[in-house]
Amino acid sequence: MVRRRARRRSRRQHKDRRVWMWAGAAVLALAVILLIDLKPWRRVRETVSGQWPYHDMTKGSYTDDADGIDISRHQGKIHWDELVDENPQLRFVYIKATEGSSIVDPFYRHNLREAKERGLLVGSYHFLTRRTSMERQADNFLSTIDLSQQDLLLLVDVEDDGTRGWDRDIIQKNLAEFIRLVKERTGHSPMIYTNEAYYHLNLYPEFNHYHLFIANYNLPPELGEAKYDIWQSGKRGRVRGIWTYVDIDRLRDGVTVDDIRLPSE
């Protein structure tokens, strides 16, 4: 009897140990999954402040033939006086405002104010993502910007990084909905930014009638029957006053900044 009780107790203890081992393994696996998904080490590296970067991180010759640039938090602290004084060819700047339904670029309002104070023509853009509805994204964008401070057409950035997993029909449906919502609330359709390959694959020819801002880092874009207004000709431009590489933008021959101005009411 005593031996049977001891064996039963031993079996229960062995079973309890196995349960705790499996529970511990499950908790450990969950922790590893969360760690990989959250990538806290990457978040630290991506953090920027009003003092970053601390030295010029660029090399090579300066870009002296850009009509405009587009900027975001990734440019960090911009030396605005130097940027304007040393780059008299610059006529406009597009500034990232929002992404998805909740992200606001932490440098947006500062960059907008600094650019406006120095007489640059400014526009704001939204990065479209697949995670939330177009209504919530339009709300985020339009509640962040001040339409009265915009000189240029608003801009929606649609590209692989934001729409991966959507097919052509879904891309067109959602982009058209975002544009409709913006036009409904502002009176004007936003310009569309994307790269040439993405445009041909997903947007041509249905979106040919919109103002277009097209990236091609080798040659001027060829869009068939469509015409672009702005060509993003480089993503590693070097300009005085910015200590990281920056996107370089050029107006198409025959296009002036007046053609991309936000119409006054």
Side-chain angles (χ1 to χ4, degrees), residues 57-73:
M57 301 168 62
T58 66
K59 295 180 180 179
S61 59
Y62 287 105
T63 304
D64 294 322
D65 58 351
D67 295 312
I69 55 176
D70 51 279
I71 59 174
S72 70
R73 65 191 288 269

Side-chain angles (χ1 to χ4, degrees), residues 1 43 63 65 69 94 118 127 133 147 178 185 189 200 203 209 213 215 217 222-223 227 244 264:
M1 177 70 74
R43 290 173 183 266
T63 304
D65 58 351
I69 55 176
Y94 266 100
R118 288 162 179 80
F127 185 84
S133 72
L147 197 63
F178 182 87
R185 292 171 58 177
S189 298
H200 281 293
L203 304 181
H209 58 290
F213 185 159
Y217 304 135
E222 292 288 344
L223 301 181
K227 299 292 185 183
T244 63
S264 58

Side-chain angles (χ1 to χ4, degrees), residues 24 31 54 56 73 75 79 90 102 114 119-121 123 131 141 149 160 170 176 179 183 189 204 210 216 219 254:
Y54 301 97
D56 193 344
R73 65 191 288 269
Q75 275 63 58
H79 303 266
L90 289 181
S102 60
E114 295 292 324
L120 288 171
L121 298 177
R131 296 183 179 88
F141 183 43
Q149 294 295 303
D160 280 331
I170 295 176
I179 291 173
K183 183 176 182 180
S189 298
Y204 184 90
Y210 290 103
N216 184 322
L219 297 168

Side-chain angles (χ1 to χ4, degrees), residues 180-198:
R180 183 191 69 78
L181 290 165
V182 171
K183 183 176 182 180
E184 186 177 83
R185 292 171 58 177
T186 68
H188 307 288
S189 298
M191 186 183 304
I192 299 170
Y193 167 88
T194 192
N195 64 68
E196 182 178 342
Y198 187 99

Side-chain angles (χ1 to χ4, degrees), residues 39 41 66 74 141 150 170 233:
K39 298 180 177 66
W41 60 89
H74 297 294
F141 183 43
Q150 309 300 311
I170 295 176
S233 60

